[in-house]
């Protein structure tokens, strides 16, 4: 035993233990847990020898350390002693992945969602991500045709007609709205995802029916499928006709027995020989019963998803070929279209379609004969890009319109002698509208940029679809609360009622939000975004011990690193090293990094303690989806703030959005850990991630009310908040008239103050402003010009807060009687 100085051996031994643990924690935090374990063990054994000599315990510890090192570094030995046994234990509990599920899981790409799953997001990568920006042609289209089509659409006329007017349909076709995604070589406009997102947002800020009509040809449908999977002959024939509007497309997927579970469709296509245009050809006899199909009642080219069957072996393969997609001209015998659904009174064209013994040649199958059985992959790949663009654009258009509407109305409408926006009870929902709209736009823009760069973000597109449409619900509901009676009385003056009607539609289509949240986002994200989970599941399913060993060893090392990072960052409130990004946003980067580490550890805890049942514990996976979604919205808010120059005046947006994202992600993780079936695991992990308890709060009232105040008083801020919104002309009832009236009222504010001061000084009696103008002129309080200007503004204000009413005959006519 060697002398250890003035300290007693017990103290020195304790210091050695602490130093060894510290070395392991440091290297584990840096992502080297294996190296950290070996070096920490070596340090401990050498120190033990120095302090205690060579007692038997030293040899035992040395032997264990050597055995651990050998097992960790020699895969054959590791498989024999550890991973082979683990694989056998896990096999019964891991979820079985069907071929359909495998295709869905492999569809699309992973991007920033994988960083958030990792527990250590690469913020430099995100902040360096550059938008491609809009071309001069795309900008001109937004200023020209997109603005023009909004001016052509009258909301009341659309409601009366039950569709867009013929002139609007003609303009959509003439100006290329039907071919936004189609390459120029085929007669389309070939616009970027960023441009299409902006176009949909603009038209959605004016009319929901117009927005749905514009988004459909650019979403999942014939054009998208042909671009990626069609034969050259199919593209040459169909794409030019789709681009110029000669062919009006629809895509039929949903059925009475297959909604969000689209893989269970019952429509069939049997391979057989038949006559097509007078010639006998090998083809498909189709039978289908579809519903909820947008544009189906008026389409002349129907995209169709069906189960392909070859019972007679005409193609020489298996009898059940799988889901396939085809193009069906609707003039063929046996095709039924024309009936319409009535989706909550929103007038976009939507209805059922049936087909009975409809025969098409094989070259009408997308991709030809080679495309048979590949329809599910086609749908999954294309659905991710569409969900990332269309419905987020609808939600952001509604948010921008609602923001402008409540800004104007809250200035015009007065109660108890004050405009509505001065009441705290009104300022709170107004601030939420502003913050939510800014944050949704940030996420919409970031996601569109990723699609423009070639990503097909399957997990993030599901997040965008579900959480933007939920955000639309929150924003419009807040707007309806502020407008009160003016929001519920329908007519040409009512701006928000049509968005209110449309809320459940966005929430339901392209995968109902309940199932998107509880099944798709985390279920797909866990296997696609986790670095090792998918490889482990596939290895177990294939019985591949070597592949499982590699994945499991990496998983253990990653799990140790995640656990260390989550604990350290939970204790210190974030990473110890400086983080990239604007200094004024450092708090958000630290918070999101910390929550990402906590999310990664919570994911490991849920997977380990619940196992394969996690697929069926939908509220647990739903809370993990909530956490991931809010971290993404927080990341998008950071990205927008940094990309727009980190301006001081924008910090209030970031404060609201960032605080909301951190709070909601924290609450989702807390709720998950409180509800894990293994209470010990839940309690332990919660205290490890949040050692000091909850640390994030909702935005303070001061921040929320500050947003409301800016919305009303700062014209530049309104323009930056709602850059895509269409504002109708001032002579059109609704937003155009409200916006102009509020601007006019703001200009006469100094005159109103003079009048109010005269009342307080008792120069003028109390009374309605309009009634005081003659006395004010007589007593010299106001000039004649001031009286005229103020009278016009006040009369306009009084008119603008009115709501529509109808004679009995007019009302019955509106009811269709």
């Amino acid at each position: 035993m060697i002398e250890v100085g003035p300290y007693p051996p017990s103290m020195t031994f304790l210091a050695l233990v602490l130093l060894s643990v510290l070395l392991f924690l440091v290297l584990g935090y840096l992502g080297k847990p294996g190296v950290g374990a070996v070096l920490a063990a070596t340090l401990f054994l050498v120190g033990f020898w120095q302090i205690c000599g060579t007692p038997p315990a030293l040899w035992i510890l040395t032997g264990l350390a050597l055995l651990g090192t050998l097992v960790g570094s020699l895969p054959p030995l590791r498989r024999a002693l550890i991973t082979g046994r683990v694989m056998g234990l896990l096999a019964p509990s891991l979820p079985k992945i069907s071929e359909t599920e495998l295709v869905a899981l492999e569809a699309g790409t992973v991007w920033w969602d994988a960083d958030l799953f990792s527990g250590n997001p690469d913020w430099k990568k995100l902040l360096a991500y550059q938008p491609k920006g809009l071309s001069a042609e795309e900008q001109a289209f937004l200023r020209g045709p997109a603005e023009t089509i909004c001016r052509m659409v009258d909301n009341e006329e659309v409601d009366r007609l039950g569709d867009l007017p013929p002139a609007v349909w003609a303009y959509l076709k003439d100006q290329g709205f039907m071919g936004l995604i189609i390459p120029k070589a085929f007669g389309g406009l070939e616009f970027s995802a960023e441009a299409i997102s902006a176009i949909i947002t603009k038209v959605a800020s004016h009319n929901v029916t117009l927005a749905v009509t514009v988004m459909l040809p650019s979403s999942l449908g014939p054009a998208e499928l042909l671009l990626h999977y069609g034969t050259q002959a199919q593209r040459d024939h169909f794409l030019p006709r789709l681009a110029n509007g000669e062919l009006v497309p629809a895509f039929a997927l949903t059925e009475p027995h297959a909604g969000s579970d689209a893989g269970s469709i019952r429509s069939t296509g049997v391979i057989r020989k038949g006559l097509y245009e007078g010639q006998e050809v090998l083809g498909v006899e189709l039978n289908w019963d579809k519903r909820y199909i947008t544009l189906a009642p008026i389409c002349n080219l129907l995209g169709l998803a069906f189960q392909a069957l070859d019972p007679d072996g005409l193609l020489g393969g298996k009898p059940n070929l799988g889901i396939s997609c085809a193009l069906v001209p609707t003039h063929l015998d046996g095709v039924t279209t024309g009936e319409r659904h009535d989706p909550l009174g929103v007038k976009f064209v939507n209805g059922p379609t049936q087909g009975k013994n409809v025969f098409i040649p094989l070259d009408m199958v997308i991709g030809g004969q080679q495309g048979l059985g590949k329809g599910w992959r086609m749908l999954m790949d294309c659905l991710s890009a569409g969900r990332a663009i269309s419905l987020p654009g609808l939600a952001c258009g509604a948010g921008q319109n609602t923001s402008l509407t409540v800004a104007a109305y809250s200035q015009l409408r007065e109660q108890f002698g004050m405009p509505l926006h001065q009441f705290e009870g009104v300022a709170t929902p107004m601030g939420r509208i502003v913050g939510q709209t800014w944050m949704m736009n940030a996420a919409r823009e970031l996601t569109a940029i990723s699609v423009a760069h070639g990503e097909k973000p399957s997990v993030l597109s599901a997040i965008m679809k579900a959480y933007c449409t939920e955000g639309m619900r929150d924003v419009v509901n807040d707007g309806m609360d502020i407008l009160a009676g003016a929001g519920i009385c329908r007519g040409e003056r009512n701006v928000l009622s049509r968005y209110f009607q449309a809320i459940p539609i966005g929430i339901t289509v392209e995968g109902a939000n309940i199932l998107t949240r509880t099944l798709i986002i985390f279920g797909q994200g866990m296997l696609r975004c986790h670095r090792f989970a998918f490889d482990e599941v596939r290895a177990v399913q294939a019985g591949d011990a070597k592949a499982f060993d590699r994945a499991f060893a990496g998983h253990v090392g990653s799990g140790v690193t995640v656990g260390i990072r989550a604990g350290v960052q939970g204790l210190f409130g974030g990473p110890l090293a400086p983080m990239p990004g604007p200094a004024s946003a450092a708090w958000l980067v630290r918070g999101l990094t910390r929550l990402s580490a906590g999310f990664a550890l919570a994911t490991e805890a849920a997977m380990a303690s619940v196992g394969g049942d996690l697929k069926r514990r939908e509220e647990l996976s739903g809370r993990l989806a909530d956490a991931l979604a809010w971290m993404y919205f927080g990341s998008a808010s950071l990205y927008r703030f940094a990309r727009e120059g980190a301006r001081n005046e924008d910090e209030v947006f970031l404060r609201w959005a960032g605080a909301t994202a951190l709070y909601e992600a924290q609450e989702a993780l807390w709720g998950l850990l409180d509800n894990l079936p293994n209470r010990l695991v839940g309690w332990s992990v919660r205290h490890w991630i949040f050692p000091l308890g909850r640390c994030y709060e909702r935005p303070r009232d001061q921040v929320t009310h500050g947003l409301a105040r800016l919305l009303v008083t700062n014209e530049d801020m309104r323009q930056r908040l709602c850059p895509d919104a269409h504002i109708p002309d001032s002579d059109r009832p609704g937003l155009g008239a409200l916006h102009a009236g509020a601007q006019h009222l703001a200009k006469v504010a100094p005159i109103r103050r003079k009048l109010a001061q005269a009342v307080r000084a008792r120069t003028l009696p109390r009374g309605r402003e309009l009634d005081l103008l003659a006395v004010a002129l007589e007593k010299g309080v106001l000039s004649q010009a001031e009286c005229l200007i103020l009278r016009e503004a006040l009369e306009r204000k009084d008119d603008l807060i009115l709501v529509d009413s109808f004679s009995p005959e007019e009302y019955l006519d509106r009811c269709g009687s």
Side-chain angles (χ1 to χ4, degrees):
M1 181 171 170
I2 296 176
E3 291 292 330
V4 295
Y7 302 105
S10 59
M11 294 294 294
T12 306
F13 185 78
L14 179 61
L16 173 65
V17 171
L18 293 175
L19 187 59
S20 301
V21 170
L22 180 62
L23 178 61
F24 171 71
L25 291 176
V26 169
L27 290 173
Y29 186 93
L30 296 175
K32 304 290 184 183
V35 175
V38 171
L39 293 180
T42 302
L43 173 64
F44 177 79
L45 291 172
V46 170
F48 190 96
W49 171 65
Q50 290 285 323
I51 296 170
C52 303
T54 57
L58 177 63
W59 300 112
I60 296 173
L61 292 173
T62 302
L64 291 173
L66 288 173
L67 178 62
T69 301
L70 288 172
V71 170
S73 58
L74 297 176
L77 184 60
R78 188 172 62 228
R79 286 198 298 273
L81 296 178
I82 300 177
T83 55
R85 300 172 187 270
V86 173
M87 182 176 172
L89 292 172
L90 289 178
S93 63
L94 285 180
K96 299 295 188 290
I97 300 178
S98 67
E99 184 177 347
T100 301
E101 289 176 314
L102 184 63
V103 169
L105 287 169
E106 292 177 339
T109 60
V110 295
W111 176 58
W112 186 246
D113 41 343
D115 276 75
L116 295 173
F117 251 91
S118 74
N120 188 32
D122 184 354
W123 295 106
K124 289 183 180 178
K125 177 182 78 174
L126 178 68
L127 294 171
Y129 207 59
Q130 291 297 317
K132 292 193 172 183
L134 303 188
S135 67
E137 181 186 6
E138 291 167 341
Q139 293 178 46
F141 190 91
L142 276 167
R143 293 191 301 267
E147 273 289 330
T148 300
I149 199 70
C150 289
R151 287 193 165 84
M152 291 176 68
V153 172
D154 178 86
N155 291 321
E156 285 287 294
E157 183 183 19
V158 171
D159 285 352
R160 285 195 302 271
L161 294 175
D163 189 9
L164 298 173
V168 173
W169 271 106
Y171 191 83
L172 288 172
K173 295 175 181 180
D174 291 344
Q175 296 299 316
F177 283 90
M178 309 298 282
L180 295 176
I181 65 171
I182 296 175
K184 286 180 167 59
F186 298 102
L189 295 179
E190 200 173 349
F191 280 176
S192 67
E194 294 174 70
I196 294 171
S197 177
I199 291 166
I200 292 173
T201 303
K202 178 175 286 292
V203 296
S205 74
H206 179 60
N207 182 271
V208 174
T209 296
L210 176 62
V212 174
T213 305
V214 169
M215 73 172 65
L216 191 281
S218 301
S219 299
L220 175 63
E224 179 85 4
L225 293 169
L226 285 167
L227 282 172
H228 295 287
Y229 303 104
T231 65
Q232 189 61 47
Q234 289 172 340
R235 289 195 287 265
D236 290 341
H237 177 79
F238 289 109
L239 289 179
R241 292 168 173 81
L242 288 167
N244 65 23
E246 177 185 339
L247 292 176
V248 176
F251 188 80
L253 176 60
T254 303
E255 301 176 0
H257 297 94
S260 296
D261 180 16
S264 63
I265 58 176
R266 299 184 182 183
S267 299
T268 60
V270 178
I271 306 297
R272 71 169 184 84
K273 291 183 178 179
L275 290 177
Y276 188 81
E277 295 183 346
Q279 294 185 333
E280 185 179 62
V281 296
L282 187 63
V284 186
E285 185 177 83
L286 297 163
N287 287 275
W288 72 85
D289 181 12
K290 304 284 187 177
R291 64 179 183 181
Y292 310 150
I293 310 304
T294 299
L295 297 187
I298 62 170
C299 77
N300 50 17
L301 183 66
L302 181 69
L304 184 75
F306 62 95
Q307 296 280 1
L309 306 171
D310 186 15
D312 298 327
L314 295 179
L315 299 179
K318 57 186 180 181
N320 190 344
L321 302 174
I323 295 175
S324 306
C325 297
L327 299 174
V328 183
T330 57
H331 70 272
L332 295 179
D333 291 341
V335 177
T336 300
T337 59
E339 288 189 357
R340 289 185 63 171
H341 299 308
D342 184 3
L344 287 175
V346 183
K347 303 305 181 183
F348 66 93
V349 179
N350 182 278
T353 174
Q354 296 83 34
K356 185 173 183 180
N357 301 330
V358 179
F359 183 80
I360 60 170
L362 280 181
D363 59 14
M364 300 290 279
V365 174
I366 294 178
Q369 183 175 331
Q370 300 302 315
L372 287 168
K374 297 179 181 177
W376 188 241
R377 178 171 292 279
M378 296 178 187
L379 296 175
M380 292 300 100
D381 279 340
C382 294
L383 185 63
S384 61
R387 284 194 300 197
I389 301 298
S390 298
L391 290 170
L394 173 64
C396 290
Q400 293 186 29
N401 178 292
T402 303
S403 297
L404 294 173
T405 298
V406 298
Y409 187 79
S410 67
Q411 294 177 73
L412 295 166
R413 176 69 165 151
E414 296 179 356
Q415 290 289 276
F416 304 104
M418 293 197 305
L420 291 186
H421 66 84
Q422 292 185 7
F423 292 88
E424 279 197 357
V426 173
T428 296
M430 281 182 68
R432 288 198 302 258
I433 290 170
V434 175
Q436 188 82 11
T437 298
W438 188 88
M439 183 162 51
M440 288 196 301
N441 271 298
R444 175 186 65 83
E445 291 170 355
L446 176 59
T447 310
I449 290 169
S450 75
V451 174
H453 278 279
E455 299 289 345
K456 292 183 178 180
S458 54
V459 176
L460 292 180
S461 67
I463 286 174
M464 289 299 295
K465 184 271 167 185
Y467 290 83
C468 279
T469 53
E470 292 293 343
M472 175 181 171
R473 177 180 359 218
D474 294 338
V475 165
V476 174
N477 279 344
D478 276 338
M480 292 288 286
D481 285 350
I482 293 169
L483 265 62
I488 63 174
C489 292
R490 295 175 59 193
E492 62 183 358
R493 293 171 177 264
N494 192 322
V495 183
L496 298 188
S497 63
R498 293 174 182 86
Y499 292 118
F500 187 75
Q501 290 172 264
I503 288 170
I505 299 170
I507 284 169
T508 301
V509 299
E510 294 194 12
N513 283 4
I514 289 176
L515 294 182
T516 300
R517 171 183 175 266
T518 57
L519 289 178
I520 296 174
I521 293 172
F522 182 75
Q524 190 171 18
M526 175 181 68
L527 294 178
R528 283 303 308 276
C529 300
H530 193 287
R531 291 174 59 195
F532 305 104
F534 198 19
D535 291 338
E536 289 171 331
V537 172
R538 285 195 294 191
V540 169
Q541 200 156 322
D544 189 337
K546 288 185 178 180
F548 180 80
D549 176 77
R550 287 192 301 271
F552 186 76
H555 194 162
V556 170
S558 172
V560 171
T561 294
V562 160
I564 293 172
R565 285 176 177 159
V568 171
Q569 293 181 18
L571 192 60
F572 290 95
L576 302 178
M579 301 302 290
S584 54
W587 61 275
L588 180 55
V589 180
R590 284 174 54 80
L592 289 171
T593 304
R594 173 196 177 175
L595 287 175
S596 173
F599 171 80
L601 181 59
T603 298
E604 301 290 356
M607 292 167 62
S609 63
V610 183
D613 283 341
L614 187 56
K615 180 179 178 180
R616 290 174 288 276
R617 298 299 298 269
E618 295 163 19
E619 274 305 308
L620 297 181
S621 64
R623 289 186 176 96
L624 284 163
D626 292 339
L628 180 63
W630 284 109
M631 288 191 295
Y632 181 65
F633 275 84
S635 302
S637 299
L638 170 71
Y639 177 80
R640 178 178 183 178
F641 178 72
R643 182 168 63 87
E644 293 181 352
R647 295 174 291 207
N648 292 336
E649 57 268 30
D650 288 345
E651 276 193 51
V652 65
F653 293 117
L654 188 70
R655 284 283 169 192
W656 193 94
T660 298
L662 294 177
Y663 173 79
E664 296 291 350
Q666 167 192 264
E667 293 304 295
L669 292 177
W670 198 284
L672 165 80
L673 297 170
D674 268 355
N675 285 278
L676 281 183
N678 189 318
R679 297 303 308 121
L680 178 61
V681 171
W683 184 90
S684 301
V685 174
R686 177 162 61 81
H687 283 80
W688 185 257
I689 296 174
F690 302 109
L692 304 178
R694 286 179 167 91
C695 47
Y696 302 115
E697 300 176 343
R698 285 192 173 96
R700 295 184 178 276
D701 290 348
Q702 180 181 5
V703 176
T704 304
H705 296 163
L707 288 176
R709 187 165 50 252
L710 285 172
L711 178 66
V712 171
T713 61
N714 192 315
E715 177 67 24
D716 178 65
M717 189 279 280
R718 280 198 300 275
Q719 291 177 354
R720 286 189 285 114
L721 177 68
C722 308
D724 310 291
H726 168 73
I727 301 177
D729 295 333
S730 60
D731 60 348
R732 294 183 65 170
L735 177 58
L738 287 172
H739 184 73
Q743 287 185 321
H744 195 182
L745 194 65
K747 290 178 181 177
V748 300
I751 304 175
R752 297 185 76 190
R753 284 195 292 271
K754 287 173 65 175
L755 200 64
Q757 288 169 358
V759 171
R760 286 195 296 271
R762 299 187 179 180
T763 306
L764 299 175
R766 294 186 178 277
R768 290 177 61 241
E769 288 175 302
L770 280 170
D771 296 337
L772 296 177
L773 292 181
V775 182
L777 178 62
E778 180 183 333
K779 295 191 174 183
V781 174
L782 299 179
S783 67
Q784 185 172 7
E786 288 175 323
C787 287
L788 290 173
I789 294 171
L790 184 55
R791 179 178 295 278
E792 180 186 357
L794 293 175
E795 288 176 345
R796 177 186 281 192
K797 176 178 79 73
D798 288 348
D799 174 71
L800 289 172
I801 64 173
L802 297 177
V803 298
D804 295 286
S805 59
F806 310 95
S807 69
E809 295 77 19
E810 290 171 330
Y811 184 75
L812 289 175
D813 182 60
R814 290 176 62 85
C815 296
S817 301

